[in-house]
Amino acid sequence: MPRFLLTLAYDGTDFSGWQLQARDRTVQGVIETALTEIMGSPVRLHGAGRTDAGVHALGQTAHFDCQDIRASIPWQCALNARLPEDVRVLACRRVADDFHARYQAQAKTYEYTLWHTREFCLPQRRRFAWNCGPLDFTAMEAAARLLTGEHDFASFQNTGTPVRSTIRTVTAISRHPGPTPHESVWRFTANGFLKQMVRNLVGCLAACGRGRLAPDEAGRILLAADRALAPATAPPQGLTLISVAYPDQTLDLTEGLL
Amino acid sequence: MPRFLLTLAYDGTDFSGWQLQARDRTVQGVIETALTEIMGSPVRLHGAGRTDAGVHALGQTAHFDCQDIRASIPWQCALNARLPEDVRVLACRRVADDFHARYQAQAKTYEYTLWHTREFCLPQRRRFAWNCGPLDFTAMEAAARLLTGEHDFASFQNTGTPVRSTIRTVTAISRHPGPTPHESVWRFTANGFLKQMVRNLVGCLAACGRGRLAPDEAGRILLAADRALAPATAPPQGLTLISVAYPDQTLDLTEGLL
């Protein structure tokens, strides 16, 4: 059966995360409903990964299989016409029949937005930033250097689905200007992320930025491979899945979007 | 009684506009409720102007009178602690006892954000932009020049509260880069605006930008002083009240915020 890969953007605020649930509204759920309506038979959507409740995306990817007689449907338009406004299909492309959105992902990039200059976050930005208060970027960047590279990230993994290995390679952590002068954006790229790993890394960087943790301590927490030692998980609303990279093509269709 | 002037930011999406209503959630309503709780007796809030349902603010202003014994309350903190997250007090300052937020306003600035490069608006921007499709900025700017200056803006006034005069002076209409490369921001400054005047001006500029109206026609519509001739009102979510200027001080506390 023809297989298609979707590139998706969503505002995660009003979703109970990516993964299908019996009762709650999820991104996978609303897209599977739309696909099933158009296809006329049940369709399963396979995401590159699960995003938590409240986490956003500008370049999530997911594949589905299509009946031969439906292969010519303009899926992007058809889906956007049926989907709620808080999720959009940015692209739809035919991929190989054995392509897998999750297993073939080579790298993912996330961004986390911190609000850091006032006591209160602007209402217009409250769904997309974590209000941290003033931050020492130098301390955060020193900690970020210690967390970059191939490491056992067990200290930054929340309990949940067991994984074979907690070793991952974080290829880059970098700071960028935010959409307002009161925000900074922290970009994380890795060959894969453990459960809530970005939010746990941000929790650690923010603790350094607030002077509650010395940057060297971030390195020691990493080496200890013990979640109990690391600072609390950062809240979901600052996080956005930016892109998922695949061997043949880099599906970063969101470049410069936000 | 001591009088205080608030500078307010709000995400208008979930409000039925500024003005107090018996049943619906309004900005004036939630702030009056918080003021009344803190004061211990009913407080009336006087806004610089009414914003429509779905319209946002980064620099709305409003005044209230305070009992003498409550004058030392840190109003900004006290209000922000009680207000819902979609409205924040950016500043609170003591003003003269005869100061009036509405009658003493000398000028107002609004911004309208247009999404103009794709068929679909990013979910993250859907609450703050109007998805217009591709626009011819040159045509829009030619029309904007004709609409700038002192004119009778009756063609751009929606029916509602009667006003003594429909003559206003639009001192500037200018285009600025948007928060993403897919958006442009149109800034309007005038000594006052009629009901839905900015949204009607934007409806006219967008018609020019989409090639549905020649820029010269915008000038003829203005001169006709007839609402029936002008294009449809632009939707509310693109509009933000940026600042209100007063004789003694320019209360633009939002500079560079969004």
Side-chain angles (χ1 to χ4, degrees), chain A residues 9-11 57-58 76 85-86 88 90 118 120-124 126-128 180-182 253 256-258, chain B residues 9-11 57-58 76 85-86 88 90 118 120-124 126-128 180-182 253 256-258:
Chain A
Y10 45 87
D11 172 350
L58 284 174
Q76 184 187 359
E85 278 196 327
D86 50 355
R88 290 291 100 180
L90 300 186
R118 287 186 185 238
F120 49 86
C121 186
L122 269 189
Q124 286 83 343
R126 76 193 189 285
R127 289 167 156 239
F128 301 104
T180 70
H182 306 281
L253 299 165
L257 270 183
L258 260 192
Chain B
Y10 44 88
D11 172 350
L58 284 174
Q76 184 187 1
E85 279 196 328
D86 50 356
R88 290 290 100 180
L90 300 185
R118 290 185 182 235
F120 49 86
C121 186
L122 268 189
Q124 286 84 343
R126 75 193 190 287
R127 290 168 155 240
F128 301 104
T180 71
H182 306 281
L253 299 165
L257 270 183
L258 259 192

Side-chain angles (χ1 to χ4, degrees), chain B residues 147 153 156 170 173 188 193 196-206 222:
Chain B
L147 299 170
F153 283 96
F156 299 98
V170 173
I173 303 176
F188 298 79
F193 290 94
Q196 299 191 332
M197 179 169 147
V198 183
R199 290 168 56 191
N200 288 329
L201 291 171
V202 170
C204 182
L205 293 182
L222 176 71

Side-chain angles (χ1 to χ4, degrees), chain B residues 147 152 155-156 204 213 216-227 229-231:
Chain B
L147 299 170
D152 182 344
S155 293
F156 299 98
C204 182
L213 189 74
D216 287 353
E217 279 300 309
R220 276 191 280 273
I221 289 167
L222 176 71
L223 290 174
D226 178 359
R227 175 74 198 118
L229 297 178

